[in-house]
Amino acid sequence: VDKKERFTRMTNQRLLLLEHLQESKKHLTIDQLYSAVKPQLPKLSKATVYRNINLLEEEGLVQSLDIGKKEKLYEVASEPHHHFVCDNCNRIIEVNLADIWQIKERIERKYGVKVDSYQLIAKGKCDFCQRH
Ligand SMILES: [Zn+2]
Ligand SMILES: [Zn+2]
């Protein structure tokens, strides 16, 4: 495999991963991404998925989410938002309330710092799990 071909293949893998994340509109682990994309790329290894996702994250196209579980979750980088994670069924809800962003200003005012980003992860039971 010459250099150019290898580069093209890398790019295709990255594009496919990105497309899958975009279409699924979900927060996925490396394992889930690997299983989803594997049928289209039989030569794909998990290590390659990992490497490509890290590159996509460095490029700012993908963002990771650490919800305190074994594996990080990945999603397409979009408007900053926060998350609710159900401890029971692992459902993830995107949270976006104007009030949450006021915390940024309050932190900056109180501590004299400049906040570039932060993520709130609320945990508990989703509406479904509360009823069942
Ligand atoms: Zn739930
Ligand atoms: Zn999200």
Side-chain angles (χ1 to χ4, degrees):
V1 181
D2 69 25
K3 220 174 175 183
K4 190 164 168 250
E5 201 186 317
R6 200 155 52 206
F7 176 78
T8 310
R9 203 202 291 161
M10 268 281 276
T11 311
N12 287 343
Q13 288 169 348
R14 227 174 296 168
L15 265 176
L16 207 63
L17 288 168
L18 194 61
E19 272 171 18
H20 182 75
L21 273 178
Q22 211 139 27
E23 277 160 24
S24 75
K25 293 188 173 67
K26 277 183 186 160
H27 306 76
L28 301 175
T29 63
I30 294 283
D31 274 346
Q32 289 169 327
L33 267 167
Y34 172 75
S35 317
V37 174
K38 179 82 175 162
Q40 286 172 79
L41 297 169
K43 284 182 190 160
L44 191 71
S45 73
K46 220 176 269 185
T48 310
V49 175
Y50 192 76
R51 198 169 57 235
N52 278 317
I53 281 292
N54 278 330
L55 281 168
L56 285 167
E57 194 177 5
E58 275 171 29
E59 288 163 7
L61 296 168
V62 160
Q63 59 196 29
S64 62
L65 175 66
D66 189 348
I67 58 164
K69 297 260 163 78
K70 262 187 300 189
E71 292 184 275
K72 273 202 215 171
L73 300 172
Y74 295 88
E75 66 180 320
V76 172
S78 58
E79 294 283 295
H81 60 271
H82 302 273
H83 298 91
F84 171 87
V85 183
C86 178
D87 281 328
N88 197 48
C89 70
N90 290 323
R91 186 174 153 206
I92 296 174
I93 299 168
E94 313 242 281
V95 172
N96 215 341
L97 296 170
D99 292 8
I100 299 176
W101 299 109
Q102 290 171 6
I103 295 169
K104 171 175 157 12
E105 274 116 66
R106 290 174 61 190
I107 294 172
E108 289 179 338
R109 263 205 304 276
K110 179 157 183 186
Y111 300 99
V113 295
K114 172 86 182 70
V115 175
D116 288 327
S117 70
Y118 68 95
Q119 278 217 332
L120 179 100
I121 297 171
K123 289 185 178 182
K125 268 190 176 158
C126 71
D127 58 349
F128 181 85
C129 291
Q130 285 174 69
R131 280 184 277 113
H132 293 83

